[in-house]
Amino acid sequence: MIIAIDGPAASGKGTIARRLAAHFNLPHLDTGLLYRATARALMEAGERLDDEACAVQAARGLALTDFDEDKLRGREMGEAASVVGAIPAVRAALLDMQRSFAHRDGGAVLDGRDIGTVICPDASVKIFVTANPETRANRRALELKGRGEKVDFAAVLDDIRKRDERDSHRSSAPLVAAADAIHLDTSHLDVEAAVKAAITIAESKR
Ligand code: CDP
């Protein structure tokens, strides 16, 4: 069973994907980490984020096991990931890695922006997770505070709106719900309620 979870920043898709993976005993890939790690590699090499050749090389050099999540989860990395994620050649370089992860025996859970539309259009379960921007900014601000970052709510909300805009309007694999995805609005759900709703959706599609 392949479970595809897509949605905008801080919608709750990562938590839902992790919990679904534990529930169904499936491996989980947070595909955002691939874009974040690509951006980080460029920054560490002193290259520009929009340098296509360097970005493709960085994407091709990634291994799924070497993510230092602590370094990749910061506020600036989400923004940087969104810049490299808008380069079609970077997306192409990361495609096979994601597809082979998804198509391993027994299935997998992947979360991102284009899993149900581009990476796994054949996924048996597709959930598009949303929440209003203010709720998402609140969640992200709490998460960043928990990481010890100094946060300004207005700036986090601004980041979320900018990222929604860039992710939804890029030419390659924009953030959009697959026609056969089930929408799950988590604006008024706590984690347990959102996870429960996602499990019910997945069970019904199995
Ligand atoms: O948790 P959050 O949604 O903020 O971040 P993420 O899922 O790690 O994604 C960071 C950025 O990577 C997004 O804003 C997208 O631009 C890009 N991304 C993408 O283009 N395609 C994916 N499958 C996953 C992430």
Side-chain angles (χ1 to χ4, degrees):
M1 171 170 64
I2 298 177
I3 303 182
I5 313 286
D6 289 302
S11 54
K13 63 186 185 316
T15 304
I16 288 174
R18 262 193 314 280
R19 294 282 299 271
L20 281 177
H23 182 82
F24 292 107
N25 198 20
L26 293 170
H28 166 227
L29 178 62
D30 170 351
T31 64
L33 287 177
L34 301 174
Y35 296 90
R36 288 172 182 259
T38 301
R40 173 114 200 146
L42 287 172
M43 288 159 84
E44 279 176 350
E47 305 290 355
R48 289 168 48 120
L49 291 172
D50 60 357
D51 183 323
E52 180 173 314
C54 290
V56 167
Q57 201 185 7
R60 289 208 182 113
L62 294 183
L64 288 183
T65 45
D66 64 5
F67 299 130
D68 181 344
E69 288 205 31
D70 201 44
K71 286 198 175 129
L72 297 176
R73 293 273 176 218
R75 182 181 151 208
E76 45 152 21
M77 291 314 302
E79 176 65 19
S82 168
V83 174
V84 300
I87 305 174
V90 168
R91 309 197 71 82
L94 295 171
L95 189 78
D96 285 349
M97 201 189 271
Q98 296 175 78
R99 283 209 178 130
S100 10
F101 187 94
H103 289 99
R104 55 179 59 200
D105 285 346
V109 181
L110 285 82
D111 74 274
R113 301 289 189 288
D114 60 344
I115 309 304
T117 49
V118 176
I119 307 296
C120 302
D122 56 339
S124 37
V125 180
K126 297 183 187 179
I127 305 178
F128 193 77
V129 185
T130 56
N132 63 51
E134 290 74 16
T135 303
R136 291 189 282 129
N138 247 325
R139 290 179 186 158
R140 184 49 45 94
L142 278 175
E143 183 191 325
L144 294 172
K145 243 186 223 159
R147 290 173 37 85
E149 282 194 40
K150 243 178 104 185
V151 283
D152 165 14
F153 177 79
V156 174
L157 180 59
D158 190 49
D159 276 359
I160 292 238
R161 291 211 159 106
K162 258 207 285 204
R163 213 128 66 79
D164 282 357
E165 175 71 18
R166 188 185 295 119
D167 291 351
S168 305
H169 293 100
R170 67 186 173 212
S171 63
S172 172
L175 168 67
V176 60
D180 53 350
I182 308 257
H183 290 246
L184 175 57
D185 184 340
T186 68
S187 302
H188 303 292
L189 300 180
D190 63 15
V191 171
E192 291 311 318
V195 169
K196 196 167 160 216
I199 291 175
T200 304
I201 294 170
E203 295 280 13
S204 76
K205 291 277 176 183
R206 236 183 354 159

